[in-house]
Amino acid sequence: MRKNTFGPSEIQDDYKLFLLSKLTSSVYNFVKCPDNQLLHAEFCRRIEVLLYFGLRKRTFKWRSEAQDVWTMLKEVSPSHITEDITLLKSVKTDHGKVRAWIRLTTNESTLQSYLQLVADQGIAMKYYEGYGLFNDPDIISKIISLISKVTEMGCKVVFNPESLLNES
């Protein structure tokens, strides 16, 4: 009798599908009830998880994952976005800046464009392992499609810099 065994790639593929299903339900709930602040927060948390999944192992132990993600987001974003976030006095950590970036780009209806840039311009290969979401064209196209539904509906997230957690 043959045992069913799963290697790392099968587990990673299953986890990608799990993340995609969570984003899907979050988007549909958000679009259905665009005024619900809890659904705003849930959508932003799902995007945040996608940004952190599959990051390359850090070369320097003193660098955090949030520093790597924030550096990547600065690379794909126009300077006015990153400057606006840097000027927020209540947002002090890179983790808080990543959260602010998600909210700001969602409200500007540009989130999907910047995430597409991460996948298209070879930036994904620089920051993510091969199994990362941004290196998977099928998954990233589904993610972009889902996010565009939020944009099409004109959904806006609550952007209160004071509410962004600043833990490292």
Side-chain angles (χ1 to χ4, degrees):
M1 184 168 170
R2 192 172 149 202
K3 286 170 82 175
N4 284 336
T5 57
F6 293 99
S9 65
E10 290 89 1
I11 292 169
Q12 291 157 354
D13 288 345
D14 285 348
Y15 192 63
K16 284 189 222 179
L17 293 175
F18 171 76
L19 293 175
L20 185 61
S21 73
K22 289 295 190 180
L23 178 64
T24 301
S25 66
S26 176
V27 166
Y28 285 115
N29 289 334
F30 186 25
V31 169
K32 215 167 33 172
C33 303
D35 296 327
N36 186 320
Q37 290 185 19
L38 291 174
L39 296 176
H40 295 185
E42 178 66 17
F43 171 76
C44 292
R45 274 193 302 276
R46 296 295 172 203
I47 297 299
E48 189 176 348
V49 169
L50 298 178
L51 287 170
Y52 283 90
F53 176 74
L55 280 175
R56 287 195 179 276
K57 303 293 182 240
R58 294 180 305 280
T59 310
F60 304 105
K61 292 185 180 195
W62 53 265
R63 280 187 67 87
S64 70
E65 288 181 332
Q67 284 175 304
D68 292 342
V69 172
W70 178 236
T71 300
M72 176 192 63
L73 296 177
K74 289 190 298 187
E75 206 170 307
V76 298
S77 303
S79 59
H80 79 275
I81 290 177
T82 56
E83 287 169 7
D84 287 351
I85 292 169
T86 305
L87 292 173
L88 296 171
K89 292 184 187 330
S90 61
V91 180
K92 297 177 179 81
T93 66
D94 290 325
H95 196 80
K97 291 173 186 173
V98 169
R99 290 177 173 185
W101 182 90
I102 292 167
R103 285 157 177 78
L104 185 63
T105 57
T106 299
N107 288 347
E108 289 186 352
S109 301
T110 55
L111 176 62
Q112 72 275 11
S113 301
Y114 297 129
L115 294 181
Q116 188 69 55
L117 283 175
V118 170
D120 288 347
Q121 292 188 345
I123 293 170
M125 293 304 293
K126 181 176 172 183
Y127 288 95
Y128 291 95
E129 298 287 352
Y131 63 83
L133 292 168
F134 290 95
N135 288 321
D136 186 328
D138 293 333
I139 295 285
I140 198 65
S141 70
K142 290 174 184 169
I143 289 169
I144 299 302
S145 175
L146 285 167
I147 294 170
S148 68
K149 291 181 186 340
V150 171
T151 303
E152 288 166 12
M153 294 298 294
C155 297
K156 303 290 184 198
V157 296
V158 174
F159 184 68
N160 177 3
E162 301 297 326
S163 70
L164 300 174
L165 296 177
N166 283 304
E167 70 265 358
S168 337

